Amino acid sequence: MKTFQIDIIEQCKQNDRTAQIKLYNQYCDGMFAVAMRFVKDSMEAEDIVQEAFIKAFAKLNQYKAEVTFGAWLKRIVINKCIDCLKSKKQHLQELEEVHLKVVDDTYKNEWLVEDTITLDEIKLAIQKLPDKYRYVVMLYLVEGYDHQEISEILNISEVASRTQLSRGKSKLKEQLKPLKNGTRY
């Protein structure tokens, strides 16, 4: 981590308001974009970012620089987003471990979409996924988390994360099949 970044974080730990504002200004736009990908409402996303920064500054002594500050803060933002969605009765459906099948990762790179499909169409298709699949797909494909991190964030097993990702990809692939003569082929 850059010395400049370490200095700002150390100043923030001492409740230096100027340093806190610098850190906030450095990360607020990026964290807002992350929150918007989850909650789709700018006012709600702003609230989430504000709450995430308040929590981050309050818990800054727990930050150990094992990951970048941005990654640490992003995890707080994502957890706040998920908490917000859960509180709005959009609960993740828990899957019984006995009903989960182990997913074969050897085919994970074989789900390609047509070149004619736009990024906006992909984003829209992701938003149409059921919550339990959408969260895992977003965390894995968009945010870049691995299954261990997803299992911790969503409080599910790694097997559930892999299964939900596989099923989410299948549903996403089906939604993204181009229409031919009014039907998907």
Side-chain angles (χ1 to χ4, degrees):
M1 190 181 330
K2 299 177 195 166
T3 307
F4 173 73
Q5 187 79 17
I6 294 170
D7 290 343
I8 288 180
I9 291 171
E10 286 305 315
Q11 291 169 6
C12 288
K13 286 181 180 180
Q14 305 303 317
N15 289 323
D16 181 331
R17 299 294 180 221
T18 306
Q20 288 174 339
I21 290 170
K22 284 180 187 175
L23 201 60
Y24 175 84
N25 287 336
Q26 184 176 352
Y27 288 100
C28 69
D29 291 342
M31 295 304 121
F32 177 77
V34 169
M36 280 297 292
R37 286 195 289 265
F38 281 86
V39 296
K40 302 291 182 233
D41 177 88
S42 62
M43 299 292 278
E44 210 161 37
E46 286 176 11
D47 289 345
I48 287 168
V49 170
Q50 294 299 321
E51 290 173 20
F53 271 100
I54 290 168
K55 183 174 183 176
F57 288 137
K59 305 274 185 181
L60 203 51
N61 287 327
Q62 295 177 8
Y63 173 65
K64 303 295 182 210
E66 295 164 351
V67 296
T68 64
F69 178 78
W72 184 73
L73 180 61
K74 184 178 184 181
R75 188 170 206 153
I76 294 172
V77 170
I78 289 171
N79 284 330
K80 289 280 182 195
C81 289
I82 291 169
D83 289 346
C84 176
L85 293 170
K86 282 181 180 179
S87 72
K88 289 176 19 180
K89 304 286 187 226
Q90 294 180 359
H91 294 285
L92 294 172
Q93 296 178 0
E94 296 293 329
L95 292 175
E96 296 287 330
E97 288 294 324
V98 289
H99 297 302
L100 297 176
K101 65 178 175 87
V102 177
V103 177
D104 185 359
D105 273 346
T106 57
Y107 299 105
K108 68 181 174 187
N109 293 324
E110 291 188 18
W111 74 287
L112 302 173
V113 294
E114 296 288 325
D115 291 338
T116 58
I117 295 175
T118 67
L119 182 59
D120 288 335
E121 290 172 314
I122 293 171
K123 287 179 182 178
L124 183 62
I126 289 173
Q127 289 309 310
K128 290 180 181 178
L129 290 173
D131 289 347
K132 64 184 176 184
Y133 302 141
R134 183 174 69 236
Y135 297 150
V136 175
V137 167
M138 287 178 63
L139 289 170
Y140 188 85
L141 297 177
V142 179
E143 302 300 335
Y145 286 105
D146 62 29
H147 290 291
Q148 180 184 354
E149 294 168 319
I150 293 169
S151 71
E152 292 170 9
I153 291 169
L154 297 178
N155 198 24
I156 59 176
S157 69
E158 285 186 49
V159 172
S161 175
R162 291 179 193 284
T163 301
Q164 290 176 16
L165 177 64
S166 175
R167 291 178 182 167
K169 282 181 176 180
S170 294
K171 288 188 176 291
L172 193 57
K173 186 175 178 180
E174 187 61 35
Q175 287 182 31
L176 293 173
K177 281 186 181 177
L179 293 176
K180 186 172 187 178
N181 297 330
T183 60
R184 299 195 187 278
Y185 62 95

